[in-house]
Amino acid sequence: MNFELNDVQREIQRVCRDFAARELTPNARRWDDRHEWPTEAVKKLAELSLLGMCAPEKYGGAGLDNVCYALAMEEISRGCASTGVIMSVNNSLYCDPVLKFGSEEQKRDFLTPFAKGEKLGCFGLTEPEAGSDAAAQRTTAVRKGDEYVINGSKNWITVGPKADAIVLFAMTDKAAGHKGITAFLVPTDSPGFDRQPPDKKMGICAAWSCTIYLEDCRVPAKNRLGKEGDGFKVAMSTLDGGRIGIASQALGIARAAYEEAVAYSSVRKTFGKPIREHQAIQFMLADMATEIDAARLLVLRAALLKDQGVRHSMESSMAKLYASEMAGRVCHHALQIHGGMGYSKEMDVERHVRDARITEIYEGTSEIQRIVISANLLKE
Ligand code: CAA
């Protein structure tokens, strides 16, 4: 067994760490405060080939492995969690299913420009009545000649306000339950596709999300992704990869909070010495560092299994469950170490607390991860 990263993985980590320190950390508080989409940062993600990291080069991607992707997601999210989730949606939730389930023609039109970062994609599974119970889709797609006519709504669609296309799930056979769900590639300028203004959220404020309404939205039949009825499996296997991205995002947020707590504890003095010399603080830092390392090992194991082509649903869920809840605990301690300053908007730690919270919710709540883990543990 070997815990060493290879040269390429170390280089990706270095490039992303430098980029985050230079371009993300100095701007993240302002973007959050103004709820400002990080336009320049997203452009630079494209220039660095970070928007289609695991897509092969012939489809405009960087042709890297999932370990590289997880390392990059941690570093980018360490600088700005909003930029991190934009990167993860395009990579994991959009490019990944098009690569895995798309035809050559679909890859040409719906993967290459997105993997290059010329366009952005998003993922439309969640509905007002279908969050954790993803099979309870109400959006319908009815075949009429060479088209499908889609009606319904999707909400909390991260990157939705900026996306050029969406991997959208709809019922083609309501009576068939999850076996009646089908995936589609829908350009966001399709007639009948309507986006609401960005949602008002507690955290990841620079990563816009929105509700989408589909009213007789007509999509060519050739835009169906996979077979009719296979949509639930497309969604679930996509989320197996997406959860690695969100676990890495949580890890990056936790690292930011931890590193800021270490720095603050060196300059803040109480009772005549820097607070890092008090055992109460040292023990908190020790727990934080240990949990961050434990989460990273889970994340890298899940990424490695994905690279090996092994089913990794349980390991991805374990990584996401642990890393997201760990990020909550680490950010809580980091704020405590900052004392009153931690509660102030003059420091970044309050943003990390808000940003970390969503990682326990999106791409499957902690409760959903426990369902996936226990179902895999207990299966015959
Ligand atoms: N890969 C492939 N197939 C899978 C699968 C996987 N990981 N998981 C399940 N399946 C298949 C099963 O094999 C089964 O197939 P058969 O019918 O052929 O046997 C079928 O799917 C149904 O599986 P289950 O019975 O396990 O399904 P379920 O209805 O009990 O629920 C669930 C499964 C885990 C609860 C699921 O509904 C789920 O993950 N819910 C959470 C949804 C979620 O994560 N939403 C996030 C939205 S995206 C987002 O958040 C984006 C963002 O903003 C950034």
Side-chain angles (χ1 to χ4, degrees):
M1 201 174 174
N2 182 3
F3 285 101
E4 287 294 304
L5 300 178
N6 65 33
D7 289 348
V8 174
Q9 292 161 347
R10 263 201 308 274
E11 181 59 8
I12 294 293
Q13 192 180 44
R14 188 193 63 74
V15 167
C16 294
R17 189 171 291 172
D18 290 353
F19 168 67
R22 212 176 46 244
E23 316 256 354
L24 303 179
T25 306
N27 294 309
R29 194 187 306 165
R30 191 184 76 247
W31 294 330
D32 170 76
D33 215 33
R34 297 184 186 166
H35 292 224
E36 184 180 326
W37 179 265
T39 307
E40 283 307 309
V42 175
K43 241 189 242 168
K44 286 181 183 153
L45 290 181
E47 285 164 20
L48 290 169
S49 303
L50 295 175
L51 286 173
M53 286 189 72
C54 302
E57 290 175 32
K58 68 171 178 167
Y59 299 124
L64 293 164
D65 60 22
N66 284 280
V67 169
C68 284
Y69 171 57
L71 295 168
M73 270 299 299
E74 176 185 338
E75 296 304 329
I76 299 301
S77 306
R78 191 257 174 265
C80 171
S82 291
T83 306
V85 76
I86 294 166
M87 173 175 155
S88 118
V89 166
N90 199 68
N91 274 282
S92 297
L93 297 189
Y94 182 84
C95 289
D96 206 31
V98 184
L99 176 66
K100 196 163 166 194
F101 300 101
S103 64
E104 279 307 312
E105 188 186 348
Q106 288 174 338
K107 285 179 193 163
R108 187 192 65 212
D109 297 343
F110 287 97
L111 175 59
T112 304
F114 295 78
K116 284 184 180 168
E118 295 165 357
K119 292 184 174 182
L120 282 178
C122 65
F123 183 79
L125 179 67
T126 304
E127 299 184 1
E129 303 298 327
S132 289
D133 186 2
Q137 299 281 304
R138 292 196 177 171
T139 296
T140 55
V142 178
R143 175 102 190 217
K144 294 211 168 127
D146 283 346
E147 293 180 324
Y148 284 90
V149 182
I150 306 179
N151 279 286
S153 67
K154 298 284 164 183
N155 62 348
W156 298 121
I157 305 306
T158 308
V159 185
K162 289 283 185 179
D164 299 285
I166 182 169
V167 173
L168 186 108
F169 299 87
M171 279 287 183
T172 41
D173 180 358
K174 274 187 178 174
H178 72 262
K179 288 187 162 54
I181 298 173
T182 302
F184 296 93
L185 291 163
V186 183
T188 54
D189 60 0
S190 303
F193 189 100
D194 181 38
R195 293 183 263 207
Q196 296 298 294
D199 300 317
K200 295 203 166 96
K201 297 179 296 198
M202 164 182 164
I204 55 158
C205 298
W208 295 355
S209 62
C210 69
T211 294
I212 287 165
Y213 292 110
L214 300 124
E215 269 182 32
D216 290 333
C217 177
R218 288 173 182 273
V219 173
K222 69 178 170 111
N223 286 21
R224 193 183 68 221
L225 183 63
K227 292 195 217 116
E228 268 200 17
D230 277 356
F232 194 69
K233 286 184 185 175
V234 172
M236 290 301 115
S237 67
T238 299
L239 287 166
D240 285 347
R243 288 167 184 163
I244 300 173
I246 299 306
S248 309
Q249 185 202 22
L251 193 48
I253 299 168
R255 241 193 56 227
Y258 165 76
E259 288 171 6
E260 284 156 25
V262 169
Y264 189 75
S265 70
S266 307
V267 293
R268 172 70 177 164
K269 289 187 178 140
T270 60
F271 306 103
K273 55 185 179 184
I275 59 173
R276 69 186 287 170
E277 290 177 27
H278 297 300
Q279 200 175 53
I281 303 298
Q282 291 168 350
F283 279 14
M284 276 196 243
L285 293 175
D287 287 344
M288 292 155 81
T290 305
E291 290 207 58
I292 288 171
D293 260 15
R296 189 178 297 105
L297 290 173
L298 284 173
V299 167
L300 293 179
R301 178 182 66 169
L304 195 62
L305 288 174
K306 185 161 193 265
D307 283 331
Q308 291 168 344
V310 175
R311 175 89 180 244
H312 51 281
S313 313
M314 181 174 78
E315 290 80 4
S316 291
S317 284
M318 285 178 167
K320 193 215 179 243
L321 171 65
Y322 186 78
S324 61
E325 295 195 346
M326 172 284 291
R329 290 190 292 275
V330 166
C331 290
H332 177 88
H333 286 316
L335 195 150
Q336 194 70 14
I337 290 170
H338 281 78
M341 282 312 291
Y343 206 64
S344 160
K345 290 257 180 194
E346 286 173 41
M347 307 294 279
D348 287 328
V349 70
E350 65 82 30
R351 185 181 86 248
H352 303 322
V353 170
R354 290 184 286 106
D355 286 349
R357 192 64 182 83
I358 189 62
T359 65
E360 293 176 58
I361 298 170
Y362 59 20
E363 299 203 28
T365 60
S366 286
E367 292 69 30
I368 289 298
Q369 308 313 323
R370 289 186 170 93
I371 289 177
V372 174
I373 295 164
S374 53
N376 277 275
L377 287 175
L378 303 175
K379 89 179 155 202
E380 311 275 295

